[in-house]
Every structure is written in C-alpha cells, then in structure tokens.
Amino acid sequence: MGVQFSHPWLLLLLVPLAGVMLYAYKSDFRLNGARKTGAVLLRSAVLLLLVLAISGLQSYTVLQQKKIVYVVDRSASMPQEGQAEAWMLQSAGGKKEDDAVDIVSSSLQSAYEQKLLKQMPRSLKLNAAQNPDFSNLESGLMLAGNLLDGRADSRIVLISDGKENVGSMLAAGRMLKNQGIPVDVLPSPSRQLQDVSVEEVSVPQKLYQAESFSIEVLVRSTFKGQGELRLYEDSREIGRESVDIASGDNRYAVKALAKTPGLHRYRAEVFMNGDQQSANNAGYAFTRVDGPPKVLIVEGKKGTSANITSALSSGLVQFEVMPSPALLPSEMAKYAEYDSIIFNNVSGDQVGERRMEMIEQAVKSYGIGFMMVGGENSYGMGGYFKTPIERALPVSMDLEGKRKIPSLGLILVIDRSGSMSGDKMEMAKEAAVRTVEMLRAKDTVGVLAFDSSNWWVVPPMQLNDKKQEVIQKIQSIQSDGGTDIYPAAASAVEEMLKVQAQRKHIILMTDGQSAGNGGYGDLLAKMVDESITMSTVAVGSDADVNLLQTLADGAKGRFYFAQDESTIPAIFSREAAMISKSYIVDKPFVPALQDPGEWKALFGNGAPEIYGYVATTAKPAAQTVLSSPEPDPLLARWQYGSGRTVAWTSDMMGKWSKDWVSWPAFSNVLTQMVKWTFPQFASSSYQVNTQVEGSKVRFEVSAPGGNGPEQLQAIVTGDQLKPTPVDLVQESPGSYSGEITVDEPGSFLMSLQDESGQSVAPPSGLIVPYSPEYRIETGDAQQKLERLAEMTGGRVLSWDQPEQLFAAA
C-alpha cells in the first residue's frame, strides 16, 4: 500500500501555508487557550487537504499476482496448428507460482479453452468448437476482458494475423483501455500460398429477353501464369477461355445473351496450375431477365404431358418439360427461374422431402405458382399425406368420415440395425408415424423392429383411441445390432394371420444384407394363400435389392429403391393409401359448378364428363370450383402465402378425362388455370441493393416513386430451407434498410413482403460469397495490431522471445 501524486510540485504550497498558519496563531487575539489552538488546527487541516487534493493524491496497492489471458485467433487464415500452442507453453514457463493464465479461442465466436489455471498443462491442444470461416477478434477480446476482475496485474495477449472480418478489435480495445486492461499483441504471419481467386462477378441487375450483356469478372492472384476462366448460367456452361493472369488484380469481360426469362444465377470459375487454395475459385451473381412467364412441367412418367403442352402452346405460354422428378433442382435459387410449376401424375417418393420443402417455400415466400394434376400416382396415392406439398395445396389427403373404407391390417417391419443410425432411422420413424396418422380407429397396426433379433414395438392392435400411444412407442426405436430379415418377416406373417381385417398388408424396410437365408418360398406361399400382401423398401445401395425385389413380387406387393432416405415417409404413406384403394373413384359423372368466381365464364356451357379421379378433401379456406357427386373437389384453388396453387384431381392423359382433353375449350380453360397461379406483383416495382460485410448482409430497398407501405419485410431463404424474416426500417419515404447475419456462404432467395404478408416484388437473388478468410488481402493487417497495443498500453511481443511476457508484465 502506498501513495503517489499526479502534480507533486504543488506540494510546495505547504511552505507558505505553514507561515500563514503560524501568523494566524500569533495574531488572532479574539480567541484564547484551547479554543484558539483548535481553530488554527482545523483551518490548517482544511488547507492541507486542499493542497493534497490539487496535487493529485492517489493511493495504490502493489499487486504481486499476475493474470494473463491468451486470445488465440483460430480462423482459416492463420498458419498451421501447433505454433501458437508452443509459444504459449514457453511463455508460461516464466510465470510465478501464484500467477494465473487463461486461454480463449476466437473465430466467428469465442470460447473458453482454459479458466485461470495456476499450472499450465505439459501439452496443449485447442479443442473448443470453432467456425474458422470468419475472424471476430472483438468477440475474443471482450470474452477475455470478462475474465479479468482488476484484483491482479492483468493483461491480455492477442495471437493473430490481424485479418478480422467481423466486428472491430479497436472498438474492443477502447473498452479494455477504460477498464485499465492492456493488450499485448503477438503478430502471426498469415498462411503464404500461391493463390488465385474470383473476387467479384458483375452482371446487370435487370435484362430483357434476347438482350446482349457483359459478365465482368475480377480475378486476383499472388503469382503470374496461364489460367482458364469458365462461365455458367445456372448449371449450363456458356463460356470457357484461356486467360493470362498477372500478379494482382485482373479484369475480364465476356459477352453473353439473355435467352430465357426468369431469375438466373451466373457462376465464374478460375483454374490455374500452381493454385494452392480452391475455396475462393468461384464467384456468383444474379440477374432477372424480363420476358413472358415460364412454366415447369414435371412428369411422373416421361412423355405423358402432350395434352398439357399443346394447351399451353396454343395459349402462348412458354414451358419446359422435365421428364423425371429426379431432375428437380436441389438448390432453392433455381426454382425462381419459373413462374409456375405443374406436377403431372408425380409420385411423392420420386420427389423427396427436401425438394418438396423447396417447392413449398418457393410458393409461400416467393409467389411462384403450383398446380397438381391427378392420376394413379398423385395426391394420396402418391404418398403426399402430411408432406410440404400437401400443406401448399388447397386439398388434403385425409378422407376420414367421407366414405366407407375396408378395414385394414398393417404391419410395419423396420430395420433398426446399426447401419440405420442417423437420418435413416429418423426418416423411418417419421414414415411409421405418418402411416399411423393415416389409419382409422377400426384399423389394426403393428410395428416390428429388427436387427439380429426381433422386437415388437407395437404388437398388432386395433387403433381405437390409442393413436398417440402408438406414435410415442415408435419414437422410442433406437438403432443397434446386425441384420436378419427372415425371422422378422416370418414373425410379421405369423401375427398377421391372427388379425381380423378385410385387407392385410406388410411393409418391410431395410438398408442391409440379411445374415441368414430362411425358407422364403414357403413363407411367400402362405402369404398368397392367406391374401397377405407385402411391399419392400431398399434403403441405399447396400441393401439386398435382389432379395427385396423377389419378396415384393412373390407377395403381390411393390418394391421401392430409396436412394434418398427422405423419400421413405412418402413411400410408406403411399403404400397405406394404395392398400385401402379408397382414394380412386372410378365412375363417370358430370362435374358440378360449385364456387367458380371469375372462372364461371369458362364453364358457361357446362363441363365434359369425367370418368375417374383421386379423392381428396377441400381445405376450409379453399375455393372449390368443380366437384363430384360424393362430393369431392375436382378443381380447387387458393392463396398460399405469397403464391397460388391449383388442384386438379382427375388426370390429363385421357384415361379418366378423355372427354375433357378433347373438349374444344380445354386449351383455354387449362391456360387460364395455369395463368391464375402466376405471381401477382409488378415486374420491376422495387430496387433492392445488398452489401456483404463479413457475416452481415445489409439491405437497402427503394420503392417506386418514393411510395411504399409503412412496414416492409425481407424473407431470405437459403439451401437449408429456413426462411429468415428481416424487418426493414423506413429511413425516409419509400426508402428502407435492414441487416441479417449469415453464418455460411451460399446463394439465397429474397422476397419483399408488406404488412399483410403479400409479396410486393419478384424474388431476387442474394449471393454471400466464400468466406472473407479466403480472400487475397492487399492491405497491412499488422498495423491494426500495433495500434491496438499502443491504444491500450500493451506491447508488441516477439515469437523468438516468449520469456518476455512474464518477465516485464
């Protein structure tokens, strides 16, 4: 404990002060004795305190314990692991027994590695989970500051290359300075690589069909050489050329033609011998090409859409035919190329859950239209029960209480071996749950899980009011063990023989090879004799496809090969629908006009006879235009979020609709149905600019003529299919701004919606390029580290003198 003075020279005032007090004591005759002595002493004390105060009197305590917090930059631009750990161990060798050390790792987020240890471990490994694609030194410094309480000689040591791209370490430095915490810096060299990168791709924000334009590409390189530049429009290569690449910035312009309307993504890639880092070799840009609307027709079976394409051609509607659902895009942004999507008798197990979610989001958030055309593989028969597509449609697949349905006995035989762990097991349980939800109280269900032995999760039982109990038991299934199919199949058949139901069916699913070879011939013969059918599902390429195909054929069922496990729920629900055979209404009728709205004129002279359809139930908010005598909806429509969807429950191939497709008004009616689904916003109403800074994206939106709604919201959706709402603040009339944090690079769709949730502009594209950690830097990041040390009273440490940390700290 001691004292010190900020202005010690002012203590000289004590000399004249002593003379004044002596004079006062001798000259003040009004007081006598003790009263005189007390008054003089009091005045002297007051003047003494005043002089000490203006001299800057301070007390201090000498702190013997030192506390050091190491902040280690673990972003991708740092050199290989081990260098920082070795330096920390060496520097900590100079600490005294009472000194404490701590370690914080920092990348996008910061995390504790150690907590104020008195003794450093002999070996050091940094294990905290990190996202190295970003560098947020501010977060690491603030976390380190929170560990220091000021009751010791405290300081922070930052080990970094200084290349931050999220936050500001200087902002953190100002706060640490106010807390009296110095920051020492140990500048680390960045990884030295021969590297070439695509820094920027530029295209016009808006184009017209058949307009020529330039794609401008900025390429940056750390070395000189010959390279190749490739350009893609969506997934189609549109150009490739050899280029001379110099060290530094290189700009190239390539001519292109806007051929088809819609939102298009352009990709530029650069390739060069000697390039040691490929993460930064591609760049992206979006543009919208204005032109006639475009429709995507997806066929469940190739060559079955002639009636649809002829009708659209006569209505001058542009279209593209996709002969297989397997070709549907797996990236969200590609659905924005189309104004509407038609599913023509497409089965849900051909689509998969992920693509269904993309289509639902495209309709709900981005105003893209959707129409489902019926057939034996669509609606409930296609396995769409409880799927994202069912959510988007104006009809549901639930037929409870609508008609008399034969009682059903269903046993689900599910492989739970170790190879089924993860997504496979979760999809299998989801499939079983959806199937149980489809069944009625009078139906019987059983669930048998098997590995090398069998486990009756749910012994065959009539559902009654126990549906939730059955679902909870299904959710308890865990994966473990080997695979033996025959005992499971035999046990399922044995129990099915005891079930009292009009239709009996088994669904067997496995992803492996059976350990044993049972007597399947006798088992299949017994199933045929007892009218028990069985369908099989092979999950992945390791399943015994030949055996499962043989079992399905022998048991009069169907075989499915599920390469994508997300198709399993659709397969199961489709099987449940097909076994009941209650969805298909195969009898002629003349459709009744129910609630046509503005479509009334299309059916002014009536509608042709229909010979069959797939039964569904209209949702409460849906508009049923045409109905059957049941009554079931034949043609229904509704608004779903920002988009519109239409359900046509008969086919358009002529099997059930031969009079309909030969009807003279067919082309006009179908064209009007499809056009009704087109997006309802103006083609170029809002200007949207985006700026990417690290992991943050800033939006700046301008309404036409400065007139916009009071509230505006941006909906951003990436390939993870999690739409993120961003509230835009109105800074001035018709001018809005907002910000969103994006943890991963990629391409995103963005929609603008007003306070009612309706889209006010066509979907636009947003590119978050590869992480800034992989950019080729042109500035000197070490200067910021030196400024941080100078600002906080810290030091610039040396890699070859680790002992200096505790020696002078």
Side-chain angles (χ1 to χ4, degrees):
M1 182 74 178
V3 296
Q4 62 183 9
F5 297 90
S6 302
H7 310 293
W9 57 271
L10 290 175
L11 294 175
L12 294 173
L13 293 173
L14 293 175
V15 176
L17 174 63
V20 170
M21 290 298 100
L22 180 61
Y23 173 77
Y25 181 77
K26 291 182 177 182
S27 61
D28 195 345
F29 300 107
R30 291 174 296 176
L31 298 174
N32 295 305
R35 292 181 63 192
K36 181 177 180 179
T37 302
V40 171
L41 289 176
L42 180 61
R43 294 169 184 172
S44 299
V46 171
L47 292 174
L48 175 63
L49 291 175
L50 178 61
V51 172
L52 293 177
I54 64 176
S55 300
L57 176 65
Q58 299 175 353
S59 65
Y60 66 88
T61 302
V62 178
L63 300 175
Q64 301 298 325
Q65 184 189 30
K66 296 182 175 69
K67 290 184 179 180
I68 303 290
V69 179
Y70 298 95
V71 178
V72 185
D73 183 352
R74 290 181 60 194
S75 60
S77 62
M78 289 288 287
Q80 62 184 7
E81 293 184 2
Q83 184 177 358
E85 292 90 327
W87 189 90
M88 287 188 289
L89 285 173
Q90 292 175 29
S91 65
K95 66 184 285 297
K96 296 180 181 179
E97 184 177 353
D98 289 337
D99 295 340
V101 294
D102 194 0
I103 302 174
V104 169
S105 282
S106 180
S107 55
L108 177 60
Q109 302 292 339
S110 54
Y112 297 116
E113 291 282 357
Q114 308 285 348
K115 282 196 176 180
L116 292 174
L117 301 174
K118 292 290 185 67
Q119 184 65 42
M120 201 74 154
R122 292 185 178 181
S123 61
L124 184 59
K125 180 74 173 176
L126 301 181
N127 297 315
Q130 296 287 293
N131 179 354
D133 286 345
F134 296 94
S135 178
N136 186 353
L137 300 179
E138 178 183 0
S139 172
L141 290 171
M142 295 310 298
L143 181 59
N146 291 336
L147 294 171
L148 301 174
D149 53 15
R151 289 180 288 184
D153 182 3
S154 305
R155 64 199 309 114
I156 295 171
V157 178
L158 175 61
I159 305 174
S160 172
D161 59 4
K163 294 182 179 180
E164 61 177 348
N165 42 61
V166 178
S168 170
M169 61 177 164
L170 296 180
R174 284 188 286 271
M175 298 185 67
L176 294 171
K177 176 186 177 182
N178 294 334
Q179 298 175 39
I181 301 175
V183 180
D184 296 340
V185 297
L186 180 63
S188 173
S190 297
R191 291 185 301 161
Q192 299 300 313
L193 300 173
Q194 281 196 157
D195 194 13
V196 60
S197 68
V198 175
E199 291 294 310
E200 185 179 301
V201 180
S202 299
V203 295
Q205 288 189 351
K206 178 181 175 182
L207 294 166
Y208 293 96
Q209 192 172 9
E211 180 181 356
S212 62
F213 66 100
S214 293
I215 304 174
E216 298 179 359
V217 184
L218 171 60
V219 175
R220 184 172 293 165
S221 179
T222 61
F223 66 110
K224 179 181 179 181
Q226 186 81 16
E228 184 177 68
L229 184 64
R230 300 177 187 174
L231 294 171
Y232 299 83
E233 182 184 67
D234 302 320
S235 300
R236 179 176 60 88
E237 184 176 316
I238 60 174
R240 178 185 299 203
E241 59 181 66
S242 297
V243 292
D244 293 319
I245 300 177
S247 179
D249 288 352
N250 303 262
R251 294 186 179 275
Y252 306 96
V254 180
K255 291 290 185 182
L257 184 67
K259 294 183 178 180
T260 58
L263 187 67
H264 296 284
R265 187 183 68 172
Y266 290 89
R267 180 171 88 253
E269 294 181 352
V270 64
F271 299 91
M272 189 174 175
N273 289 332
D275 182 19
Q276 295 179 320
Q277 180 170 261
S278 60
N280 55 8
N281 285 11
Y284 301 84
F286 275 104
T287 190
R288 175 167 288 280
V289 179
D290 281 352
K294 185 178 179 182
V295 176
L296 175 65
I297 303 170
V298 184
E299 296 183 318
K301 184 178 180 182
K302 185 177 179 180
T304 56
S305 300
N307 294 324
I308 298 175
T309 57
S310 297
L312 296 182
S313 295
S314 65
L316 302 179
V317 176
Q318 292 193 5
F319 59 84
E320 175 186 331
V321 178
M322 188 170 285
S324 169
L327 301 176
L328 278 166
S330 56
E331 297 178 22
M332 184 71 193
K334 292 185 178 179
Y335 289 93
E337 296 178 31
Y338 308 101
D339 294 271
S340 188
I341 300 169
I342 299 175
F343 270 19
N344 181 21
N345 195 26
V346 174
S347 171
D349 63 279
Q350 296 177 286
V351 180
E353 199 82 0
R354 179 174 173 78
R355 290 189 178 102
M356 290 190 200
E357 290 177 359
M358 288 185 176
I359 292 172
E360 185 209 12
Q361 285 298 324
V363 175
K364 184 178 183 180
S365 300
Y366 300 101
I368 296 168
F370 180 75
M371 178 176 177
M372 178 172 279
V373 175
E376 293 178 335
N377 295 322
S378 68
Y379 294 102
M381 299 298 293
Y384 287 101
F385 180 73
K386 294 284 186 179
T387 63
I389 291 292
E390 186 193 43
R391 290 198 295 268
L393 286 171
V395 296
S396 67
M397 315 303 154
D398 188 2
L399 302 184
E400 181 70 33
K402 292 193 66 173
R403 51 179 50 80
K404 186 176 181 180
I405 302 174
S407 60
L408 175 63
L410 181 65
I411 293 179
L412 309 177
V413 183
I414 299 174
D415 184 351
R416 74 170 196 120
S417 60
S419 59
M420 284 288 294
S421 62
D423 289 343
K424 290 181 183 178
M425 194 73 255
E426 292 306 311
M427 287 293 103
K429 291 192 286 188
E430 175 66 21
V433 167
R434 283 193 198 172
T435 304
V436 170
E437 288 177 339
M438 289 182 68
L439 300 179
R440 298 152 303 150
K442 68 177 181 180
D443 292 330
T444 299
V445 66
V447 181
L448 173 65
F450 73 94
D451 43 41
S452 52
S453 59
N454 303 330
W455 167 40
W456 278 101
V457 182
V458 180
M461 57 183 289
Q462 197 168 29
L463 271 178
N464 295 322
D465 57 351
K466 300 178 182 178
K467 188 173 287 190
Q468 289 304 314
E469 177 185 337
V470 171
I471 289 174
Q472 289 177 2
K473 290 182 178 180
I474 290 172
Q475 297 288 8
S476 69
I477 301 175
Q478 300 295 324
S479 57
D480 191 23
T483 305
D484 197 355
I485 296 175
Y486 179 78
S491 179
V493 172
E494 181 179 350
E495 290 299 316
M496 185 65 86
L497 292 173
K498 306 173 186 177
V499 172
Q500 300 296 319
Q502 292 169 289
R503 290 174 182 165
K504 301 179 181 181
H505 188 61
I506 298 171
I507 303 176
L508 167 66
M509 187 202 72
T510 179
D511 74 335
Q513 306 279 333
S514 182
N517 294 311
Y520 289 109
D522 293 340
L523 184 65
L524 292 173
K526 182 185 294 186
M527 294 174 70
V528 172
D529 291 342
E530 298 294 334
S531 298
I532 300 172
T533 57
M534 180 169 69
S535 293
T536 58
V537 183
V539 183
S541 56
D542 293 334
D544 193 338
V545 174
N546 292 331
L547 171 62
L548 296 175
Q549 177 78 68
T550 300
L551 292 178
D553 292 343
K556 310 296 183 183
R558 286 155 296 280
F559 167 74
Y560 300 90
F561 178 65
Q563 184 68 42
D564 176 5
E565 60 264 18
S566 73
T567 63
I568 297 172
I571 292 173
F572 273 50
S573 57
R574 183 186 183 197
E575 275 295 298
M578 294 184 74
I579 284 300
S580 68
K581 295 187 184 297
S582 57
Y583 281 88
I584 294 179
V585 179
D586 198 358
K587 58 183 179 182
F589 67 94
V590 176
L593 202 61
Q594 186 167 326
D595 182 16
E598 74 275 15
W599 284 358
K600 183 176 182 180
L602 298 177
F603 308 103
N605 297 320
E609 194 171 25
I610 290 291
Y611 295 90
Y613 64 96
V614 183
T616 59
T617 301
K619 293 178 181 177
Q623 179 183 354
T624 301
V625 180
L626 297 175
S627 63
S628 73
E630 295 295 335
D632 293 323
L634 177 67
L635 175 61
R637 65 181 188 179
W638 77 342
Q639 182 87 29
Y640 184 69
S642 294
R644 294 174 167 185
T645 65
V646 170
W648 170 258
T649 60
S650 186
D651 73 332
M652 286 193 179
M653 294 178 289
K655 178 179 180 180
W656 296 331
S657 58
K658 59 182 180 180
D659 292 350
W660 186 272
V661 297
S662 61
W663 181 34
F666 169 70
S667 294
N668 181 51
V669 170
L670 177 59
T671 301
Q672 294 304 316
M673 289 161 56
V674 174
K675 286 183 176 179
W676 184 84
T677 67
F678 288 167
Q680 302 303 300
F681 36 72
S683 60
S684 58
S685 53
Y686 285 74
Q687 292 293 325
V688 182
N689 294 315
T690 57
Q691 184 176 1
V692 180
E693 297 177 357
S695 63
K696 295 186 181 295
V697 180
R698 180 173 175 80
F699 304 96
E700 293 181 353
V701 180
S702 298
N707 297 316
E710 292 185 6
Q711 297 180 4
L712 200 61
Q713 190 177 66
I715 305 296
V716 180
T717 307
D719 291 337
Q720 301 304 315
L721 302 181
K722 295 180 180 178
T724 303
V726 183
D727 291 326
L728 302 179
V729 178
Q730 187 168 193
E731 298 180 339
S732 61
S735 179
Y736 308 83
S737 67
E739 192 174 79
I740 185 176
T741 299
V742 179
D743 293 341
E744 296 183 358
S747 54
F748 301 80
L749 280 183
M750 186 183 72
S751 170
L752 294 177
Q753 297 182 357
D754 60 20
E755 56 267 23
S756 66
Q758 294 300 306
S759 292
V760 297
S764 56
L766 167 65
I767 295 294
V768 177
Y770 53 81
S771 165
E773 281 294 313
Y774 304 110
R775 287 194 177 278
I776 299 175
E777 297 291 339
T778 56
D780 186 2
Q782 186 170 333
Q783 290 184 356
K784 292 180 69 175
L785 291 173
E786 294 171 355
R787 285 179 58 194
L788 175 66
E790 181 181 359
M791 173 192 300
T792 60
R795 302 162 295 169
V796 179
L797 303 175
S798 171
W799 283 94
D800 54 7
Q801 292 181 313
E803 68 280 357
Q804 71 180 142
L805 174 60
F806 278 93

